[in-house]
Each structure stands twice: as C-alpha cells, then as structure tokens.
Amino acid sequence: MQSANGQYRWVLNTGIPRFVDRVYVGHIGTVVDTTDLKLSHEKMLASQKLESLGALAAGIAHDFNNILGAIFAESDVALLETTSDSPGRQNIERIKTAAVRASEIVKLLIAYAGDTDVAMEDVDLSLIVEEMLEILRGSISGRAALRASLVKGLYVRANVAQIQQVVLNLIKNATEALEGGDGLIALSTERVHIGQAPAAESLTEIPEGDYARLEVSDTGSGMTQEVLARALDPFYTTKFLGRGLGLAVVQGILRSHRGHIQILSEHGRGSTFQVLLPCARAESGKTKASPRHLTPSPFTSLLTETYTR
C-alpha cells in the first residue's frame, strides 16, 4: 500500500465481517505494517544463502586440492621417468597444464569462501589501485578512456594480494562491459562515513563508521534487473566463455575483510560498482607504502596474464 508520504509499504490486512440483526454492515479489520519484518526475513535468507554457498565452496576446494595434489605428484614423477622424445611426454605435460588451470578455479573458490587465514596489514587502498592500473593499462582497449581520481592516505586493514584481486576483477568486468567499443572507465577512491540507517532502507546492513570507498564505473551496456539480481551469484555469467566467479570472488574477499559491495546499473546506461572497506583504526605507525612496494601476488599475476591473452 502507498503511505501518506508516497512510499510503498508491505502490510498485512486481516478482517472479519460484522452483522447486525443478521444484516451485513461491513468488516472490522486491522492493518499491520510488516515492511521491516519482510526486509529482515530477506536479509536472513540472503545471509544463510551466502553461508551455505561459502561452506560448499570451501568443501569442494578442499577435496579438489587433494585430488590435484595427487595429479601434480604423479605427473612430476612421470616426467622424471620419461625422456624428452618419449611418445607420451606431451600427453603428461598437457595433463599437468590442465591441472594448473583447475588449480586456478580452486583458488577462486577459496577466495569466494572468504579465507580469513591470510596476513593483514595497514595499506593505502589508493596505492593498490594505482599499482593495478599500471599493470592493466596496456591490456585495456585503446578505444576506452580511463579516468582515475584517487585520494592518497586512505588506509585499510587488508591483505594486499586479495585487494589487488578485487581491483583486477572490477576493472576486467568494466572493460568487458565496453565490448571493445568506445567508452569510459572511471575509478575513484574517497573516505566516507556511514551513519546508522533505518532497517527498511536497505537489504544490506552496514555498520556505522568510517569507510574507504572504491568506485569503478563504466559506460557499457549495463544490466537488466534480472541480471543485476544474480550478478554476485557464483557460476552465473552472461558471457559465453565466462566462469561466473569474478564478482562472486570479489564478494567473498570483501566478506572476509568486513567490507561490502553495491552495484548500480541500468540496461543500456552502464554500471557502477561501489566497494566499502572499513578504514584502519590506528592512524599512527602505518607504512607509507608506494606503488613499487605493492608487488602483485603470483596468483594476481597469473590472472593478469590470462586476462591479457
């Protein structure tokens, strides 16, 4: 129902007919606003879904790691026992290459599950973004304009390699949205304060506090409401050769960093991805890291190599 201030609210109407001398004179009923209850229920279901999928991904990754370990070990032994001109050597090398590709997917699953057993340190988010831009600049289509507005001294408590992966996936997603055509990819960082919002305003509860916000926008094709609703689901993709793990991995990493992601998109008008990470509490004793200190992890380098190919 539409309330007096123009907002639409979910309500529960109950009523019973009233009779006077066996003559129907109307209904006696109540109207209860159930909007907050409905949104709380949806939040609970979304949280349970994330927990279940995370547990499933972690279990699958663990089992696959054991299988891949055996494949790597046996293929290494087989390579040692064969000469370079052996008929079956190329088959063994192809098996090992396939296992390496499979291990990439396992690492993505682990990231989606939100591995919290990683080293955390105070790092400048803007410097990480700047470093990744330097790495990826050559692989972004020459027809795409790139614009960055980065606020220095934006410290967050994070794992550098995982945040590099978040930035990489978001830039890759923005580039693919342009489909090789003309367009703009804009990146910005800033410090924002999130106040205590009413429960009914959003499905995502963000604790009050200071956050570093990373925003990646593109002027690509945008998303329909159906695609937007499933954009963060693992293994969901609209790309022919996609694996559907890029944005799911971003969500998993942010979950382990107590961060949040919000997607704003309209079909035909581009997309904006907003990432929030809690600002580091202590302002003293931080390392004034420069981009050259933020060396990409082997996994990030592998993803970049695959992306640029």
Side-chain angles (χ1 to χ4, degrees):
M1 295 182 64
Q2 189 176 21
S3 60
N5 61 7
Q7 292 183 344
Y8 283 91
R9 308 283 293 180
W10 288 93
V11 296
L12 174 64
N13 292 314
T14 58
I16 58 173
R18 182 183 181 191
F19 295 89
V20 176
D21 297 329
R22 298 185 179 182
V23 177
Y24 172 73
V25 294
H27 266 69
I28 297 177
T30 59
V31 179
V32 180
D33 188 328
T34 60
T35 304
D36 291 347
L37 180 62
K38 178 179 173 61
L39 292 179
S40 297
H41 182 64
E42 290 179 355
K43 292 173 190 174
M44 182 186 67
L45 290 178
S47 177
Q48 289 177 345
K49 175 185 174 183
L50 285 176
E51 290 177 6
S52 298
L53 287 174
L56 176 64
I60 291 174
H62 175 74
D63 290 341
F64 264 78
N65 260 340
N66 292 337
I67 297 171
L68 289 172
I71 293 175
F72 280 123
E74 295 297 331
S75 59
D76 285 341
V77 171
L79 288 173
L80 289 173
E81 294 179 350
T82 57
T83 59
S84 58
D85 57 348
S86 297
R89 187 175 181 87
Q90 289 186 350
N91 298 88
I92 298 171
E93 289 175 345
R94 280 195 289 268
I95 290 172
K96 189 170 182 179
T97 300
V100 169
R101 295 302 178 193
S103 68
E104 295 175 25
I105 298 177
V106 169
K107 289 173 182 176
L108 291 176
L109 286 173
I110 292 173
Y112 170 73
D115 183 13
T116 56
D117 244 358
V118 293
M120 298 281 191
E121 57 182 317
D122 291 350
V123 294
D124 190 338
L125 176 62
S126 296
L127 291 181
I128 296 178
V129 175
E130 186 178 337
E131 170 73 8
M132 295 308 298
L133 282 175
E134 289 300 318
I135 294 173
L136 295 173
R137 195 176 295 273
S139 60
I140 296 175
S141 170
R143 299 177 62 182
L146 189 62
R147 185 176 68 202
S149 175
L150 308 176
V151 176
K152 297 294 178 66
L154 204 55
Y155 286 96
V156 296
R157 187 77 177 169
N159 177 266
V160 174
Q162 290 192 346
I163 298 303
Q164 285 176 335
Q165 190 175 335
V166 167
V167 177
L168 170 67
N169 286 359
L170 292 179
I171 295 177
K172 175 183 176 181
N173 188 78
T175 303
E176 291 176 346
L178 297 181
E179 299 177 343
D182 297 330
L184 171 68
I185 299 174
L187 294 94
S188 65
T189 57
E190 62 178 332
R191 185 187 183 100
V192 297
H193 179 79
I194 302 297
Q196 188 64 43
E201 284 193 5
S202 172
L203 289 179
T204 304
E205 288 186 353
I206 302 178
E208 185 177 3
D210 292 327
Y211 289 84
R213 181 167 67 191
L214 165 64
E215 188 171 284
V216 181
S217 302
D218 65 75
T219 56
S221 56
M223 306 181 203
T224 63
Q225 289 302 310
E226 178 185 359
V227 172
L228 182 60
R230 300 190 60 189
L232 298 175
D233 289 354
F235 304 110
Y236 175 77
T237 179
T238 57
K239 304 177 181 69
F240 178 69
L241 296 176
R243 291 181 294 199
L245 282 172
L247 293 179
V249 166
V250 169
Q251 185 187 44
I253 291 174
L254 293 177
R255 192 164 60 243
S256 67
H257 283 70
R258 296 182 296 109
H260 306 270
I261 182 170
Q262 182 178 13
I263 307 175
L264 307 173
S265 184
E266 187 176 342
H267 187 55
R269 303 189 64 178
S271 303
T272 298
F273 294 80
Q274 294 181 344
V275 167
L276 291 175
L277 288 166
C279 289
R281 293 181 181 277
E283 292 296 332
S284 60
K286 292 188 175 68
T287 303
K288 300 296 182 180
S290 61
R292 64 177 177 272
H293 293 144
L294 303 177
T295 306
S297 67
F299 180 44
T300 304
S301 301
L302 179 60
L303 281 179
T304 306
E305 178 187 351
T306 304
Y307 171 40
T308 53
R309 281 205 302 268

